[in-house]
Amino acid sequence: MRKINLFFLFLWLGALCSCQKDEVATDAMLSVSPARFNLLFYDTVLQITVAANVDYEVVPERKVAWLTELPVIREGENRIHSFRVEANEEGVDRSLNIRFRSKDGELDRSVFVGQTCHNYTYIPADFDDSNWEKEVETIFTDAECSGLRTGISTAQVKTMQNAFLRTIAQSMLDGTYQQQFRVQDYEAWQTLETLNKQMKTWFPYNPLENPTGIYFEANKEVIILVGDTQNEEIKLKVVHDYSLNQRKATEYALKPGINKVTVTEPGLGYIQYYTDNYKDRKPVKVHVAGGKVNGYFDKSKHTAQEWATLLDATVCDYFDMIGERINLAFKVKSLRQYCGDGKALLDNYDEIVDYEQELMGLKKYQKQPKNKMFARTVEVGEGLHADTWGAALAEDCMWDLADPDQTHDGGLWAIAHELGHVNQIVPGLKWVSTAEVTNNVYSICLQYKYHPDEPLLETSQSDDGNGESIPGGCFNHFLTSGVVEGKLWPLQEDAFVKLCPLWQLMLYYRMAPTASWYKPDWYGDVAEIVRNTDETGMSHGQLQLNFMRNVCDVVGEDLTEFFSKVGMLKPINERIDDYGYTWLTITQDECDELKKYASQYPKPISPVVYYLTANSLEAFEKQLPVKGMYGAGVFKVNSLRCKVLSGSWENAVVFETYKGETLTHVAMGHLQREGTAGAEASRQCAGKDPDPHHGRLRVRRRPDRQPGGAAGTGHRHPRGAASCAAHQASERWCLLH
């Protein structure tokens, strides 16, 4: 009986506690903090913390142009309401109340916002530094006035005689001074000219390191306090225009101590701190006491959650973003429209730069620079280009270039292409005819990295050289005009056609990790040779020959047959237009000399690397046999063309078209990668035959043979790879039509 009583007592107490809890939960709560702001005249952003368990609305007592509400941030169970307050240039003090009111009207809280007018000169034309040192020493932590000493009171600040210092001190005391951007430690960066020479890049890296986040108005005086410069030259650079044709900036020399600067034209500011002693130099503290805070986003300091707040607080039409490998200056309008996550955007751009630098061999050889790359928005109609300021990205393309979801997708090629121009290594990897080719090595490798099932050259709709627009047309054009017809590689008009053999080398040596010939760093190794070679006075013909020689050296194979087939190792004496006319001359003797030199190495295992595509990479890498039935999958389209269902021929690399014993056309074996639906992999491959009655489509293979040359060792697979499989040999089949 005793146990039963205790049991019921427990239930009763539990019910009682439950009732009391429900009663507490019904108590309405709405609190705001702080309840009052006493602001000085300059622009600022104030934040109000709200704790509430009721629905509420924010209602300023009246609409004013100088107060703008920013997006709300959640911080645990609280909400942070931010408001931008414009600088008070009206000549009179102003104020208003911001009301936070529950939806039922029972709870009503007010926050007072008062702002003084510009009744004393914050940045005076007759700037007076009287009592400067004494008041700085008494009130502030250092000569740059970066913070207040511990225990400083309002009474002490009011007694200050220097109006300028009093203004700063009072705002710091109130917690409204935007020290995050006004007071910063700026790092030293390597001189661009020196870095450019070391890396041998076409364009220099970032000329706008150290963004201040401060917007300067025209003909306004500012005071800039500068710490110890360690005898280095420090400048304020104000950019007025980022566009191609109107690119414009002014610079103002800064010295340690007090600098009074009159900015002649409006723009965002950057602290120029470039020195060849950058490794030994400490950051310089700079306090920009003037201008308007525009802010920036630094992914090492700011969170993704802070992105919207910072972006909405801008006062300029441009916004700086600081990444690990790149800085961006994009139009605010585009960022608000397309970029919901600035950190994700910077992460993507950083990855692109990092990958390009890895391809260049900079990571392998521990030469990755501290300096960052730079990209900025330019005006509509200026297109995409690269120049001495880095990559220029037109505003009407920003839907692809400012959207984090697109920068590794639809915008990837363009970004890598323009940054690739900056990273082109000159002249050794950018000789005449390659200005729009070797930069695309970065683009196509990045495209393959993120979209291996959609290799661009193999899938994009383009002219196959016969007036037919087909998927993979660039590659078919290259195979026929270059390999079959023997057109000189530098004379290929289409940059994408010209890219094909460089892509084949990338596929063969970098993208086949299980192959015995796998050398993923080959391009970076070639780049390192170029960086360490004095190319002064070399002709463009010598540069092209050196490239081929260097490739043979780093892969340890005789690739002269490949280079001959693709039209690179052939005599030429042509005046070529590549952003200006330049002669490219290679003699037969020079070709013969390179062939003799390369003969010290064995031939590659596949003798037909010039037939390789991303679609057939697996057949090459695993040396797969071709499988198919005589006559299968071949259809006559008309008197000039036939169609082959490539899925009918497993591991087929290409299809060759013959007229008699003469090879006339070559087409890729697959539109799609291995493992995808083969039924859609049909293609017109015969080309235009002047006498179709004698046309034959062959799947041709020859017995294995030993490599020639001085080495005379190593297994070499047959030319059968040329037509059907990457390596296997057997008999010869002919498909007549």
Side-chain angles (χ1 to χ4, degrees):
M1 193 68 176
R2 184 179 178 184
K3 293 176 68 175
I4 294 174
N5 287 338
L6 287 173
F7 177 71
F8 278 106
L9 179 63
F10 174 76
L11 290 179
W12 181 81
L13 288 172
L16 180 63
C17 290
S18 177
C19 290
Q20 289 175 339
K21 184 176 180 181
D22 291 341
E23 185 178 348
V24 171
T26 60
D27 290 343
M29 180 190 63
L30 177 62
S31 68
V32 297
S33 178
R36 189 176 186 86
F37 288 90
N38 295 306
L39 304 176
L40 297 174
F41 75 89
Y42 56 84
D43 63 289
T44 189
V45 174
L46 56 88
Q47 292 185 324
I48 302 169
T49 301
V50 178
N53 61 3
V54 296
D55 292 333
Y56 64 90
E57 57 186 354
V58 182
V59 186
E61 65 179 354
R62 65 183 186 281
K63 289 185 177 181
V64 293
W66 52 271
L67 184 76
T68 305
E69 187 173 4
L70 305 177
V72 179
I73 303 172
R74 288 191 176 272
E75 192 174 89
E77 296 182 355
N78 298 333
R79 294 183 179 182
I80 309 298
H81 291 261
S82 300
F83 297 85
R84 178 161 198 92
V85 181
E86 300 293 336
N88 188 358
E89 305 281 354
E90 297 175 2
V92 295
D93 295 348
R94 60 194 184 189
S95 65
L96 86 165
N97 288 296
I98 303 174
R99 298 174 62 187
F100 294 80
R101 185 173 59 196
S102 62
K103 291 291 183 67
D104 59 13
E106 292 186 4
L107 300 178
D108 197 337
R109 307 287 186 264
S110 285
V111 176
F112 174 82
V113 179
Q115 187 182 34
T116 62
C117 67
H118 204 164
N119 55 3
Y120 54 82
T121 307
Y122 181 42
I123 310 298
D126 56 345
F127 177 74
D128 180 14
D129 62 0
S130 59
N131 299 309
W132 180 274
E133 292 184 0
K134 180 181 178 181
E135 294 195 334
V136 167
E137 187 176 330
T138 304
I139 303 297
F140 297 96
T141 56
D142 51 37
E144 296 78 50
C145 304
S146 62
L148 297 177
R149 291 184 177 276
T150 304
I152 295 297
S153 66
T154 300
Q156 287 176 286
V157 172
K158 287 182 177 180
T159 64
M160 295 175 65
Q161 297 181 20
N162 189 290
F164 173 79
L165 293 177
R166 186 173 65 248
T167 302
I168 295 176
Q170 185 61 57
S171 57
M172 287 182 176
L173 196 63
D174 293 341
T176 58
Y177 198 69
Q178 295 172 299
Q179 289 171 264
Q180 177 183 193
F181 301 110
R182 293 196 179 278
V183 184
Q184 298 186 64
D185 291 329
Y186 293 98
E187 294 185 49
W189 303 88
Q190 187 175 10
T191 304
L192 294 181
E193 293 77 10
T194 303
L195 179 62
N196 196 214
K197 290 178 181 177
Q198 290 176 355
M199 297 177 61
K200 300 182 78 169
T201 50
W202 191 10
F203 293 118
Y205 268 35
N206 188 3
L208 299 176
E209 302 279 11
N210 292 334
T212 64
I214 304 297
Y215 175 75
F216 297 92
E217 298 176 290
N219 301 314
K220 292 291 183 70
E221 293 176 324
V222 297
I223 298 299
I224 301 176
L225 310 176
V226 180
D228 183 9
T229 63
Q230 304 155 85
N231 296 318
E232 297 290 350
E233 185 179 56
I234 308 293
K235 297 178 181 178
L236 169 68
K237 189 170 189 173
V238 181
V239 177
H240 318 300
D241 198 326
Y242 296 84
S243 64
L244 173 63
N245 298 321
Q246 301 296 323
R247 192 174 59 198
K248 189 176 181 183
T250 52
E251 294 183 346
Y252 307 88
L254 300 176
K255 66 181 188 303
I258 304 170
N259 295 265
K260 182 181 174 182
V261 177
T262 300
V263 178
T264 57
E265 294 189 61
L268 287 174
Y270 304 83
I271 298 299
Q272 302 284 279
Y273 185 14
Y274 294 95
T275 171
D276 289 337
N277 301 316
Y278 70 102
K279 292 182 179 179
D280 302 323
R281 293 294 181 258
K282 298 177 181 179
V284 174
K285 182 171 290 184
V286 178
H287 183 170
V288 183
K292 294 184 176 182
V293 173
N294 191 63
Y296 56 71
F297 183 88
D298 185 341
K299 82 171 195 179
S300 69
K301 299 177 181 178
H302 302 123
T303 65
Q305 291 71 32
E306 295 176 279
W307 167 254
T309 300
L310 289 167
L311 188 62
D312 285 337
T314 56
V315 297
C316 176
D317 56 353
Y318 272 87
F319 188 62
D320 285 301
M321 292 167 280
I322 303 174
E324 183 181 0
R325 297 287 174 195
I326 192 170
N327 287 1
L328 307 174
F330 283 1
K331 285 286 190 72
V332 172
K333 178 182 177 182
S334 296
L335 291 172
R336 287 175 177 169
Q337 186 173 359
Y338 302 117
C339 184
D341 187 343
K343 184 180 183 304
L345 184 68
L346 282 168
D347 285 344
N348 289 353
Y349 273 85
D350 278 340
E351 287 178 19
I352 293 171
V353 175
D354 192 68
Y355 191 83
E356 290 199 6
Q357 292 178 344
E358 186 264 322
L359 278 174
M360 299 166 69
L362 297 175
K363 296 179 77 171
K364 176 179 178 179
Y365 292 99
Q366 300 181 359
K367 293 182 177 180
Q368 211 166 3
K370 174 186 177 180
N371 294 49
K372 302 173 185 181
M373 302 193 75
F374 182 66
R376 82 283 188 189
T377 307
V378 296
E379 300 303 321
V380 173
E382 291 194 348
L384 309 174
H385 56 269
D387 55 27
T388 56
W389 277 26
L393 311 175
E395 189 175 6
D396 49 339
C397 300
M398 296 308 287
W399 61 275
D400 250 357
L401 309 177
D403 183 346
D405 293 334
Q406 291 299 316
T407 49
H408 278 179
D409 196 0
L412 177 60
W413 187 283
I415 297 168
H417 175 99
E418 301 306 338
L419 293 176
H421 271 310
V422 178
N423 280 327
Q424 279 179 293
I425 301 171
V426 295
L429 289 176
K430 195 194 105 23
W431 61 95
V432 67
S433 82
T434 66
E436 295 294 342
V437 180
T438 52
N439 63 318
N440 277 336
V441 169
Y442 305 115
S443 295
I444 197 163
C445 287
L446 277 157
Q447 189 78 23
Y448 193 76
K449 170 181 171 67
Y450 293 109
H451 305 283
D453 294 327
E454 301 175 17
L456 195 63
L457 290 181
E458 290 85 348
T459 59
S460 60
Q461 196 83 12
S462 54
D463 188 356
D464 67 352
N466 296 303
E468 298 286 340
S469 181
I470 63 171
C474 285
F475 236 116
N476 274 17
H477 189 175
F478 158 72
L479 292 171
T480 296
S481 69
V483 177
V484 177
E485 298 174 358
K487 186 171 184 176
L488 292 173
W489 179 77
L491 301 183
Q492 294 280 9
E493 294 85 4
D494 192 319
F496 295 104
V497 173
K498 199 177 295 182
L499 179 62
C500 289
L502 301 182
W503 176 226
Q504 290 175 320
L505 292 175
M506 280 293 180
L507 286 168
Y508 193 71
Y509 291 108
R510 183 180 171 89
M511 310 301 182
T514 65
S516 60
W517 57 83
Y518 180 58
K519 292 182 175 61
D521 298 327
W522 76 269
Y523 195 77
D525 293 339
V526 171
E528 181 66 5
I529 294 172
V530 171
R531 284 191 289 267
N532 294 318
T533 300
D534 184 1
E535 298 166 319
T536 306
M538 286 189 183
S539 69
H540 288 270
Q542 289 174 305
L543 294 171
Q544 183 166 307
L545 288 164
N546 279 358
F547 170 75
M548 294 182 283
R549 182 188 301 266
N550 292 336
V551 175
C552 292
D553 284 340
V554 299
V555 302
E557 293 183 337
D558 179 359
L559 287 170
T560 54
E561 185 175 346
F562 168 83
F563 288 124
S564 297
K565 277 287 189 179
V566 302
M568 296 181 73
L569 189 56
K570 291 181 178 180
I572 186 174
N573 187 32
E574 295 284 345
R575 187 168 175 260
I576 299 174
D577 185 10
D578 192 17
Y579 296 99
Y581 284 95
T582 305
W583 281 94
L584 177 63
T585 301
I586 297 175
T587 66
Q588 184 62 58
D589 287 344
E590 289 173 321
C591 294
D592 295 340
E593 189 277 331
L594 181 55
K595 292 177 181 178
K596 182 179 179 180
Y597 173 84
S599 67
Q600 65 181 297
Y601 301 117
K603 299 287 186 181
I605 288 178
S606 172
V608 287
V609 180
Y610 50 81
Y611 276 166
L612 172 61
T613 70
N615 296 341
S616 59
L617 179 59
E618 185 180 15
F620 276 81
E621 182 180 5
K622 298 181 180 179
Q623 306 179 42
L624 300 176
V626 70
K627 298 179 182 179
M629 292 184 64
Y630 177 81
V634 182
F635 306 92
K636 185 175 180 180
V637 177
N638 53 45
S639 61
L640 297 178
R641 305 187 73 81
C642 71
K643 181 179 289 187
V644 178
L645 292 176
S646 56
S648 302
W649 294 88
E650 187 178 351
N651 302 324
V653 175
V654 300
F655 294 93
E656 296 177 322
T657 301
Y658 283 80
K659 182 182 179 182
E661 294 296 319
T662 304
L663 178 64
T664 60
H665 293 86
V666 176
M668 287 189 300
H670 296 277
L671 287 183
Q672 299 177 352
R673 301 293 306 282
E674 297 292 337
T676 60
E680 298 298 322
S682 63
R683 72 182 313 105
Q684 297 177 3
C685 65
K688 294 182 178 180
D689 195 323
D691 190 355
H693 301 291
H694 297 288
R696 294 181 294 172
L697 183 68
R698 289 184 176 178
V699 179
R700 186 156 63 100
R701 300 181 258 186
R702 293 179 180 174
D704 292 359
R705 56 189 171 95
Q706 296 295 318
T713 59
H715 182 67
R716 183 177 183 190
H717 292 276
R719 189 180 178 280
S723 348
C724 254
H727 302 278
Q728 290 297 314
S730 180
E731 56 189 314
R732 183 171 78 177
W733 296 349
C734 296
L735 302 175
L736 303 179
H737 70 280

